[in-house]
Amino acid sequence: MKAPGHTTRSAMLAGLSPMEKFLFVVIILFILSLAFQFLGGLLASLLYGFSLGEILNLETFDDPRYVAASKIIQIMGSIGTFIVPAFLFSYLFAGDWVSYYQFEYHTGVLPIVLTVAMIVAVIPFINYLAEINMRMELPLRGVDRILRNLEQDAEGIMRAFTDTSSLSALLVNLFMIGILAAVGEELIFRGLLQRLLFDMVKNPHVAIALTAIFFSAFHFQFFSFLPRFVLGLILGYLLYFGRSIWYPIVAHFVNNSLGVVYYFFNARGSADDMLEEIGTSSMMPLTALVSLILFALFFGLWYHYSDCRTIQSPQSLKTDRN
């Protein structure tokens, strides 16, 4: 899990303890997220004529201009919450802008193909977990109702963002939900927090599980917590065993982009609800079981091949698999 030893004397905060780095990361992420969300709001107000107050208070996505303004805020927020901080932390902790994140490890074509295959294969199982999660009821009815409303709001925002038949809008969505989220979230959660947590707890499996919890909780959707947590575990182990940040980035991109493309074709009338129904009760839990078996098969093949590449590549041995 540990990244290569690129720390140099020029790294300003290399001497901080893992706990101090963790707290520093959380504080800076919060500050930059608010700052870039505010900048996004200003930019959206200039481009679309909304005041900041109107952008913050509007609750309907019927106005295409408001959807476009919200996308700008989302993009700026993602850049400020993930992309900018990720490279900043690499500079502060490792002495340069990128070496903290294991970009340099080669992956090969076959491991990438197997990564894509395992993510596609696990979708029915993830959907089945989502259905189980939605059936959970909290003992406090008021809290349960609030959390379900938040879940519906998040789903409504996502549908407003992705409900388009325009090719240009599809490309914007792939950039916003596919590329930005995949690269940014993986750099912060797997590349940074997972590493810091490992340095604190000294157990890679506990660090992966804790990172998956933070990853799922970050989205503030309790009734999607379980499937997102399992996805976080998969992404964490892809980094741990593969020793390259490219594996979780590719897996995250495929997972997000499949949904974006599905909604695009659904808006054009060329898709039905099959993607979201696969693995749920309407197609029997057996589909989810087959999905899990196929995922395990692809993961086993991926692990075997990436392990062989590790043995053959002296550079990859710089990262100890503790």
Side-chain angles (χ1 to χ4, degrees):
M1 180 181 296
K2 291 181 180 179
H6 288 285
T7 300
T8 67
R9 293 181 180 178
S10 62
M12 296 174 59
L13 302 182
L16 294 180
S17 70
M19 176 60 75
E20 289 171 333
K21 289 179 180 178
F22 186 87
L23 293 175
F24 177 79
V25 164
V26 171
I27 293 171
I28 296 302
L29 285 178
F30 179 75
I31 294 173
L32 288 179
S33 176
L34 290 179
F36 273 77
Q37 293 262 4
F38 179 75
L39 290 175
L42 284 179
L43 180 59
S45 66
L46 289 174
L47 291 175
Y48 294 100
F50 293 113
S51 69
L52 267 179
E54 288 176 323
I55 290 178
L56 293 174
N57 293 325
L58 279 174
E59 297 180 355
T60 177
F61 286 88
D62 294 334
D63 187 344
R65 296 184 310 126
Y66 180 61
V67 173
S70 298
K71 285 185 178 183
I72 290 178
I73 297 174
Q74 177 70 25
I75 289 171
M76 290 294 293
S78 294
I79 292 173
T81 305
F82 302 113
I83 304 297
V84 171
F87 294 111
L88 174 63
F89 294 139
S90 180
Y91 179 78
L92 293 175
F93 296 158
D96 64 69
W97 299 104
V98 297
S99 66
Y100 200 85
Y101 298 109
Q102 299 168 265
F103 277 113
E104 72 274 26
Y105 288 159
H106 300 293
T107 56
V109 175
L110 182 56
I112 290 296
V113 171
L114 290 171
T115 299
V116 173
M118 76 173 77
I119 291 300
V120 173
V122 83
I123 286 177
F125 179 69
I126 294 294
N127 287 344
Y128 187 61
L129 291 179
E131 181 173 281
I132 293 174
N133 203 158
M134 284 299 295
R135 291 177 179 176
M136 296 179 180
E137 293 185 4
L138 296 176
L140 298 176
R141 292 188 176 181
V143 175
D144 185 277
R145 183 170 58 255
I146 291 172
L147 292 177
R148 289 188 187 277
N149 288 337
L150 290 175
E151 193 82 19
Q152 292 175 358
D153 290 343
E155 177 66 18
I157 293 172
M158 184 56 61
R159 286 187 177 274
F161 281 174
T162 56
D163 185 18
T164 178
S165 57
S166 164
L167 182 59
S168 60
L170 171 65
L171 295 177
V172 170
N173 288 338
L174 286 174
F175 172 73
M176 176 179 68
I177 301 172
I179 295 175
L180 274 185
V183 175
E185 291 184 17
E186 290 314 304
L187 289 179
I188 292 298
F189 284 102
R190 254 60 60 176
L192 178 64
L193 295 182
Q194 184 168 301
R195 177 179 176 181
L196 293 177
L197 286 168
F198 170 77
D199 289 339
M200 285 189 281
V201 302
K202 305 303 181 184
N203 185 309
H205 308 292
V206 173
I208 290 169
L210 288 174
T211 305
I213 290 173
F214 289 136
F215 170 68
S216 188
F218 169 80
H219 292 82
F220 297 100
Q221 292 176 260
F222 174 81
F223 292 101
S224 300
F225 182 90
L226 181 59
R228 195 171 279 115
F229 168 73
V230 171
L231 179 62
L233 290 178
I234 294 171
L235 297 171
Y237 279 108
L238 285 175
L239 175 61
Y240 175 58
F241 289 123
R243 306 187 183 190
S244 172
I245 194 68
W246 288 114
Y247 290 124
I249 285 177
V250 168
H252 200 149
F253 172 78
V254 171
N255 178 76
N256 287 11
S257 297
L258 282 174
V260 170
V261 172
Y262 160 74
Y263 281 120
F264 172 73
F265 283 108
N266 187 61
R268 294 169 65 95
S270 347
D272 51 29
D273 293 331
M274 184 175 181
L275 183 65
E276 292 185 333
E277 293 294 329
I278 294 176
T280 61
S281 57
S282 63
M283 295 189 70
M284 300 178 60
L286 179 61
T287 309
L289 178 61
V290 173
S291 163
L292 186 59
I293 293 172
L294 286 175
F295 166 78
L297 173 63
F298 287 128
F299 186 88
L301 290 172
W302 172 85
Y303 174 81
H304 173 74
Y305 189 78
S306 63
D307 198 47
C308 290
R309 288 186 61 82
T310 298
I311 294 172
Q312 295 169 3
S313 173
Q315 184 185 23
S316 66
L317 295 177
K318 294 178 182 178
T319 301
D320 293 329
R321 200 179 282 163
N322 292 292

